[in-house]
């Protein structure tokens, strides 16, 4: 299919659909923006046309749509580094593949070594490529190797604070937000425990309060936390939420406490990362305390099928959740890895 035909078909498809004025203006702006690449970056120009055509062909509408890129492990904006180049490629793609997304979710490890420049450049990239509302959790790589115990907190509040709905001004690392009526809860470690999570009793009490206050029979709660739960990634022995050898409060099992809270509100979908599973090993675990989504590692798969650049596009319609797996490295969907479940 030639470029002119593709652009003509996209314009025809755009006119044939019912959009709000704001949506139509945004899509037309993307088309106009892409036209400026013609003759300057023909490869990206053509790729964007194909991505926008995919969106117009595939989009069936949903109450909520968001993209989940976990464990991107960026190192600034040097595109000679493959992890940065792949991340930017995905951001460029998402602009056209999911142009009406409601949020952009990263369940931790958005940097590789937690440097301030890496925090700064990561969030600058989200702004540069106009990502939808960022919902970014802390991973162990974002809090380690710091000069002081509070450095990662200050960096997180400085660069992510504008998205935290007041939590940063309250000097709180855990926070929640609502997107199109859906409740997102973001849980974060409050200390550097190497590969584990420190969840204070205060954070757990806050989570219980938020869950109790905002139950909606028509919508699941969406909880983001970097590390996973025991039994939801069997090949990892110690990289859990709780590890008594690392926890400063070793006699208080925060993971069990969190599970006990969530069992009261099992209509929760929990997005986790950290494990670096390949596409053949990622699963959705229906547990008594909610549905645990083991997200693929974007930077690379350390277990299972080798690869990199995999991420979920999530569509939520009422209580039904669809996870569509995309290979941004190979620029195609992986329909055999699609998951659909009703909470």
């Amino acid at each position: 299919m030639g470029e002119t035909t593709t652009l003509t078909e996209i314009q025809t498809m755009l006119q044939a659909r019912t959009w709000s004025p704001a949506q139509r203006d945004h899509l037309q702006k993307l088309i106009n923006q892409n036209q400026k690449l013609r003759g300057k970056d023909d490869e990206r120009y053509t790729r964007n046309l194909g991505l926008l055509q995919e969106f117009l062909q595939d989009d069936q509408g949903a109450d909520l749509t968001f993209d989940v890129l976990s464990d991107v492990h960026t190192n600034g904006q040097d595109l000679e580094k493959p992890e940065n180049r792949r991340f930017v490629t995905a951001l460029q793609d998402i602009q056209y593949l999911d142009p009406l997304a409601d949020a952009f979710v990263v369940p931790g490890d958005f940097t590789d070594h937690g440097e301030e420049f890496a925090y700064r450049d990561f969030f600058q990239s989200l702004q540069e490529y106009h990502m939808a509302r960022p919902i970014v959790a802390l991973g162990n790589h974002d809090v380690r190797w710091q000069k002081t115990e509070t450095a990662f907190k200050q960096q997180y509040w400085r660069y992510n604070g504008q998205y935290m709905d007041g939590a940063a001004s309250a000097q709180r690392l855990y926070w929640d937000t609502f997107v199109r009526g859906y409740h997102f809860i973001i849980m974060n470690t409050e200390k550097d425990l190497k590969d584990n999570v420190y969840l204070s009793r205060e954070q757990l009490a806050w989570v219980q309060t938020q869950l109790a206050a905002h139950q909606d029979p028509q919508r699941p709660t969406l909880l983001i936390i970097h590390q996973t739960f025991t039994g939801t990634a069997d090949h990892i022995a110690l990289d859990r939420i709780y590890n008594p050898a690392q926890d400063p409060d070793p006699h208080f099992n925060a993971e069990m406490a969190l599970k006990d809270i969530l069992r009261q509100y099992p209509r929760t979908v929990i997005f986790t990362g950290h494990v670096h599973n390949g596409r053949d090993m990622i699963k959705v675990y229906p547990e008594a305390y909610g549905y645990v989504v083991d997200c693929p590692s974007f930077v690379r798969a350390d277990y299972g099928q080798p690869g990199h650049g995999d991420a979920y596009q999530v569509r939520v319609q009422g209580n039904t959740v669809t996870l569509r797996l995309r290979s941004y490295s190979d620029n195609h969907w992986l329909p055999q890895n699609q998951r659909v479940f009703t909470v």
Side-chain angles (χ1 to χ4, degrees):
M1 184 180 295
E3 291 176 7
T4 303
T5 304
T6 302
L7 180 58
T8 300
E9 289 190 1
I10 287 173
Q11 292 283 13
T12 300
M13 294 170 70
L14 180 62
Q15 296 302 319
R17 296 279 297 275
T18 301
W19 310 98
S20 71
Q23 289 174 328
R24 186 178 296 278
D25 288 348
H26 179 66
L27 293 171
Q28 188 60 56
K29 181 179 178 181
L30 284 177
I31 292 172
N32 296 341
Q33 175 182 296
N34 193 50
Q35 284 298 103
K36 296 178 182 178
L37 296 176
R38 196 171 187 179
K40 296 180 180 179
D41 187 348
D42 287 332
E43 182 178 355
R44 172 47 65 178
Y45 167 78
T46 302
R47 181 163 171 139
N48 287 346
L49 286 179
L51 293 166
L52 191 55
Q53 187 175 42
E54 282 190 69
F55 163 74
L56 292 168
Q57 290 173 336
D58 292 346
D59 180 53
Q60 301 299 315
D63 294 332
L64 176 73
T65 303
F66 57 96
D67 299 280
V68 183
L69 273 67
S70 188
D71 296 84
V72 296
H73 288 266
T74 60
N75 282 292
Q77 293 183 327
D78 179 1
L79 298 186
E80 293 299 315
K81 296 180 178 180
E83 63 272 23
N84 297 339
R85 186 171 61 253
R86 292 168 189 151
F87 178 60
V88 167
T89 295
L91 298 186
Q92 291 173 320
D93 284 0
I94 289 169
Q95 277 190 292
Y96 288 84
L97 183 67
D98 201 6
L100 301 181
D102 301 299
F104 180 81
V105 175
V106 181
D109 280 2
F110 53 92
T111 69
D112 199 34
H113 289 91
E115 304 98 334
E116 180 163 5
F117 78 84
Y119 271 69
R120 180 198 66 217
D121 290 351
F122 171 83
F123 284 100
Q124 282 183 355
S125 293
L126 300 190
Q127 294 176 352
E128 180 179 352
Y129 295 102
H130 309 290
M131 289 300 97
R133 196 242 193 270
I135 299 177
V136 180
L138 288 166
N140 56 303
H141 278 252
D142 307 314
V143 307
R144 288 172 67 184
W145 306 290
Q146 303 289 323
K147 294 180 180 179
T148 68
E149 291 184 0
T150 62
F152 79 88
K153 300 177 184 180
Q154 298 300 326
Q155 290 173 185
Y156 189 61
W157 291 327
R158 183 176 304 119
Y159 296 107
N160 189 53
Q162 62 182 307
Y163 309 116
M164 294 175 67
D165 289 2
S169 58
Q171 301 284 280
R172 196 177 68 237
L173 289 173
Y174 42 93
W175 52 287
D176 67 334
T177 192
F178 288 83
V179 181
R180 294 193 68 180
Y182 283 84
H183 189 199
F184 285 81
I185 294 177
I186 298 82
M187 300 188 70
N188 282 316
T189 188
E190 296 166 72
K191 296 179 184 291
D192 170 16
L193 298 187
K194 192 175 181 291
D195 291 315
N196 306 105
V197 185
Y198 176 71
L199 302 177
S200 67
R201 288 171 169 82
E202 290 78 12
Q203 180 169 182
L204 291 166
W206 175 87
V207 167
Q208 182 153 24
T209 298
Q210 300 310 311
L211 286 167
H214 301 295
Q215 289 297 293
D216 184 340
Q218 304 302 319
R219 300 179 178 95
T221 302
L222 305 165
L223 190 147
I224 317 299
I225 187 170
H226 182 60
Q227 280 86 345
T228 192
F229 295 82
T230 302
T232 59
D234 295 334
H235 58 285
I236 296 293
L238 296 176
D239 289 11
R240 308 293 191 197
I241 292 171
Y242 170 72
N243 178 1
Q246 297 285 344
D247 203 299
D249 193 359
H251 302 296
F252 176 65
N253 189 326
E255 180 178 323
M256 290 301 298
L258 178 56
K259 286 180 178 178
D260 288 343
I261 293 168
L262 291 171
R263 284 190 187 95
Q264 302 172 55
Y265 311 99
R267 296 180 56 262
T268 301
V269 182
I270 306 159
F271 291 87
T272 69
H274 186 59
V275 180
H276 286 219
N277 274 334
R279 64 181 63 158
D280 57 328
M281 297 190 73
I282 53 175
K283 298 177 184 177
V284 177
Y285 295 84
E287 302 288 341
Y289 52 87
Y291 287 78
V292 181
V293 178
D294 175 22
C295 297
S297 168
F298 186 85
V299 69
R300 68 180 180 278
D302 290 336
Y303 301 94
Q305 184 175 338
H308 47 72
D310 288 356
Y312 278 133
Q313 182 192 89
V314 183
R315 293 178 178 175
V316 188
Q317 186 73 38
N319 286 314
T320 298
V321 179
T322 301
L323 307 175
R324 304 179 73 205
L325 189 64
R326 179 83 178 184
S327 169
Y328 286 95
S329 294
D330 296 328
N331 193 26
H332 63 75
W333 296 108
L334 298 161
Q336 68 274 22
N337 296 97
Q338 180 169 302
R339 304 284 187 271
V340 181
F341 57 95
T342 299
V343 179

